[in-house]
Amino acid sequence: MEFQLYDSVKKEKVIFKPIKNKEATIYVCGPTVYDDAHLGHARSALSFDLLKRTLTALGFKVTLAKNFTDIDDKIIKKIEESNKTLKEITNFYIDRYLEDMDAIGVLRADIEPKATQSLKAIENMIQSLIDKGCAYKLDNGDIYFDTSKDKKYGSISHMVVDDNLTQSRIETINGKKNEKDFALWKACKDSNDICFENSLPSGRPGWHIECSAMIAKYFKGDDNYCIDIHCGGADLLFPHHENEATQTRCALNKEIAKYWMHNGFVTIDGEKMSKSLGNSFFLKDALKIYDGELLRYYLISINYRNDFNFSEEELLNSKKRLDKLYRLKKRLYGVKVGNCDIEFKNQLLEAMCDDLNSSKAMAIIDDMIASANESLDKEAKNKILKQEILGNIEFISTLLGVGSKDAIEWFQQGVSNEDKAKIESLIEQRSHAKKAKDYTKADEIRDELKSMGIELMDTPNGTKWEKI
């Protein structure tokens, strides 16, 4: 089975042919760690989590790197506002980011490089560009990349042909040779600036150089490419990815990536998510209200390339849809997991091989749920059937990252710890009443729980409950 992806540069779907047979190297542009993760970060992380899961399911050995930008103007501003150190700020937000990603089921990256831990690689790449005449120093010590040295500059984004657009996006600096040139290294401005010492002027790296240097540091690639797939949000295509590509091309004489994939924006009520608009929806706040797996299911419900309009109404509709999967799983409580149905497995994989068509995959799952329930109604004692259905659900969990939770606990969401303790106490009292053959008391307790919105299910493993 071949995997097709939409290449952002070629602007068409192409068959994935890796640099090395049955190996896939992926680099995802990660967050700048000065604040909590928002839904835009979640959407990007989930998109390429699906990519890793799909390629792994197809038998590829996948190595995925996701960086942390831990030195940046925004971080420096945060330091000034908080009076905390660089490490205190960045370590705090890295930990928060990873916690949030864990909550929505994003697999940890195989490599998690930080800019501050890659300074030698950054220094080496900048020096190489200087030696080749592709970079130059300004009087203030800043080092800039000379875009005129690369005839292919603009080939990634196809955007720099519009000089007005280019100039509106890039700050004009005295001493720059070309408007499109960008900073590789920013020299120290004063004693309060955060700077690093090496063979370059005392200072810190520009934003674009860190990704090029990290990729060169951790991936060997071949004579033509450093990695197979470079991923990130659509807003990074220009100038960030364009500049990454040109740096690598000039420093290493090869392309940074064979393929490029970009996820769409997240909008709320039709507006692009942006702090400048004041409508950034932090993931941590959503997780206080909604289960992380539900948020995951909702955010992957449409293709990663499409823009996503976050709607609370649609989120609740997604819960009803996901509940059906857990209702099916609940019917099989206590059954051992069997082998996934091959036809179902291939249908899911074929959907995901079509440029991660998760919406089609979910429709296939809906059909499987309906068919499984119908079969169970007819063959309630068919052990092989039950085990196979659980095998299907297990494969869904492996491929899409949903459906792995305990089916009983899934329907206990939204109940406080205090109420859970009360419910468990009443269930225990009911159990004692039944043992004493006081069935009137047992029924009264069941009715009391029902009035609290709690439904009981007596199973071979004891009495289970759920919120209705």
Side-chain angles (χ1 to χ4, degrees), residues 92-359:
F92 176 79
Y93 285 113
I94 287 172
D95 288 343
R96 289 282 283 266
Y97 175 85
L98 293 173
E99 287 173 9
D100 287 346
M101 295 304 110
D102 285 344
I104 58 173
V106 174
L107 301 174
R108 287 289 292 268
D110 303 288
I111 305 169
E112 295 176 340
K114 300 177 184 177
T116 57
Q117 294 176 345
S118 306
L119 292 171
K120 187 61 180 177
I122 292 170
E123 175 192 0
N124 290 342
M125 183 166 277
I126 292 174
Q127 190 58 56
S128 175
L129 290 169
I130 293 172
D131 294 342
K132 291 182 176 183
C134 297
Y136 57 92
K137 293 181 182 179
L138 301 185
D139 291 340
N140 65 0
D142 289 353
I143 301 174
Y144 272 73
F145 180 84
D146 187 347
T147 54
S148 69
K149 299 296 183 179
D150 181 16
K151 293 181 180 179
K152 291 186 177 180
Y153 187 73
S155 62
I156 300 297
S157 63
H158 310 292
M159 290 178 67
V160 294
V161 292
D162 185 343
D163 284 340
N164 290 328
L165 175 62
T166 301
Q167 292 176 27
S168 69
R169 289 189 176 214
I170 301 176
E171 184 182 0
T172 300
I173 302 291
N174 290 332
K176 282 175 58 175
K177 292 182 178 180
N178 311 288
E179 287 297 332
K180 301 179 183 71
D181 295 354
F182 56 90
L184 299 170
W185 189 259
K186 298 180 179 181
C188 278
K189 300 298 183 285
D190 53 51
S191 58
N192 294 322
D193 207 354
I194 294 178
C195 305
F196 302 91
E197 304 295 333
N198 51 42
S199 62
L200 304 174
S202 179
R204 56 188 171 84
W207 176 34
H208 313 300
I209 191 66
E210 67 176 87
C211 292
S212 292
M214 289 172 183
I215 289 173
K217 178 180 178 180
Y218 291 102
F219 297 100
K220 292 182 179 179
D222 63 6
D223 292 340
N224 299 309
Y225 305 100
C226 295
I227 57 171
D228 289 303
I229 309 173
H230 197 314
C231 307
D235 55 328
L236 299 180
L237 184 56
F238 183 84
H240 186 50
H241 289 163
E242 188 70 67
N243 292 348
E244 280 186 47
T246 193
Q247 292 165 160
T248 299
R249 194 180 295 125
C250 291
L252 304 180
N253 297 316
K254 60 182 178 179
E255 295 295 328
I256 194 170
K258 189 173 183 179
Y259 306 100
W260 293 82
M261 296 178 73
H262 292 86
N263 63 278
F265 297 116
V266 175
T267 61
I268 298 177
D269 295 328
E271 293 186 81
K272 176 185 171 184
M273 180 174 294
S274 168
K275 279 187 170 297
S276 61
L277 295 178
N279 68 343
S280 182
F281 190 172
F282 286 118
L283 183 56
K284 66 174 184 178
D285 295 326
L287 288 168
K288 291 175 183 176
I289 307 170
Y290 305 108
D291 181 82
E293 186 172 304
L294 171 58
L295 289 170
R296 177 190 182 91
Y297 184 86
Y298 176 50
L299 287 168
I300 66 172
S301 62
I302 67 169
N303 185 268
Y304 74 97
R305 283 193 289 119
N306 296 334
D307 288 348
F308 190 100
N309 186 38
F310 190 92
S311 159
E312 202 159 19
E313 181 180 354
E314 288 302 316
L315 175 64
L316 294 176
N317 287 336
S318 284
K319 185 179 187 307
K320 292 176 183 177
R321 196 176 177 189
L322 184 54
D323 280 351
K324 291 180 181 179
L325 179 63
Y326 277 104
R327 288 276 176 214
L328 175 59
K329 192 174 182 180
K330 186 179 173 183
R331 289 188 72 172
L332 306 168
Y333 209 82
V335 175
K336 290 183 179 181
V337 178
N339 294 322
C340 177
D341 176 66
I342 295 300
E343 184 179 352
F344 172 72
K345 180 178 182 179
N346 287 338
Q347 285 179 341
L348 271 191
L349 278 175
E350 283 173 6
M352 295 304 288
C353 281
D354 180 15
D355 193 36
L356 305 178
N357 194 338
S358 52
S359 57

Side-chain angles (χ1 to χ4, degrees), residues 22-39:
K22 279 300 177 181
E23 294 186 22
T25 49
I26 304 168
Y27 183 90
V28 179
C29 282
T32 301
V33 285
Y34 69 98
D35 212 337
D36 287 304
H38 53 61
L39 289 175

Side-chain angles (χ1 to χ4, degrees), residues 61 89 109 185 213 233 281 302 336 356 416 434 445-446:
K61 178 186 176 184
I89 293 290
W185 189 259
F281 190 172
I302 67 169
K336 290 183 179 181
L356 305 178
S416 69
K434 288 176 71 176
I445 293 172
R446 178 186 281 275

